Amino acid sequence: MARIKSTPRQIATPSAPTSATAVPYKPNTHFPENVITSSALLAFPIVTVILSSLLPSDPVKILGYSLPAVALIQAVNILFTNPAPEPVAKSSGNKKKKQAKNTMSTTILGLVLSMLLTPFIHLIYVLFGAPVTVSIPATFLLSAHTALLALFPILCTYPLDGVTWTNLVALKAPVTPAYTAALGTIAGAWLGAVPIPLDWDREWQIWPVTVVFGAYVGNALGRLVGAVLSGKEKML
């Protein structure tokens, strides 16, 4: 009986690419990857300097006059730094207009909700030691500024559902400049209250000058940290 010679089986191996080119990381020019595009990051340090120099003279007047400007800065920042819409065909050009309209509607809704939540923030300030029967207008305006700094961007960039907001409160939400700016605002306001009871007899120790200053500094630093951290996550 003739023996059949067996030949070794050829194992197919993937062919190596002829030329390997590294694809550079190209960050999106929209929120939250690019720090430069964040108008609030650039504007709020300037607002902080102006407020800190003018607030001791008349806190209620300065906080009231600056409130619309802060709302405008936040609204512009949200409108221009939200993710860009997907490219659409010419036949569906109305889709891009609809996306822009939805962004505008979300921004307006976030602003309205922020103002509606201002009394709740006022109550929190009182529970943490703010004057109860005196300086009520100053505390309320401080609460409105806090709502614009901390709540407004989050209301526009996170879904309005229980699970999302439970994660936000539990510090389990994804890192974004809006989220870290809110945390920075809260931490800065809390630290800003430390110099008020000290026996220094300085003009800037009146309520709520240092709290406003701390909130704005904390917001700017938190936004910067969030932009850097979220940018690193995109590169991994």
Side-chain angles (χ1 to χ4, degrees), residues 114-176:
S114 299
M115 293 298 96
L116 291 177
L117 290 171
T118 297
F120 176 72
I121 299 176
H122 187 134
L123 177 61
I124 293 177
Y125 272 119
V126 171
L127 293 176
F128 274 85
V132 180
T133 57
V134 298
S135 302
I136 295 177
T139 305
F140 186 82
L141 289 170
L142 166 65
S143 304
H145 278 258
T146 304
L148 290 177
L149 293 176
L151 290 181
F152 188 16
I154 290 181
L155 288 169
C156 295
T157 54
Y158 284 86
L160 300 178
D161 60 75
V163 176
T164 299
W165 284 82
T166 300
N167 290 333
L168 287 171
V169 175
L171 304 180
K172 296 180 180 179
V175 175
T176 65

Side-chain angles (χ1 to χ4, degrees), residues 24-114:
Y25 171 73
K26 294 181 179 180
N28 189 354
T29 56
H30 291 274
F31 182 83
E33 289 85 355
N34 198 321
V35 180
I36 304 301
T37 57
S38 180
S39 59
L41 182 62
L42 301 176
F44 281 162
I46 301 175
V47 174
T48 304
V49 174
I50 296 174
L51 288 178
S52 62
S53 61
L54 297 178
L55 272 176
S57 60
D58 193 341
V60 174
K61 182 178 179 180
I62 302 303
L63 287 175
Y65 284 166
S66 60
L67 190 63
V70 174
L72 179 61
I73 292 172
Q74 286 287 61
V76 169
N77 180 63
I78 293 168
L79 287 172
F80 283 91
T81 56
N82 274 338
E86 296 291 335
V88 294
K90 293 182 179 180
S91 59
S92 57
N94 291 333
K95 184 177 179 181
K96 188 178 293 185
K97 293 181 180 180
K98 185 177 180 181
Q99 289 174 335
K101 184 177 180 181
N102 290 339
T103 303
M104 179 68 73
S105 301
T106 302
T107 304
I108 295 174
L109 177 62
L111 179 60
V112 172
L113 291 176
S114 299

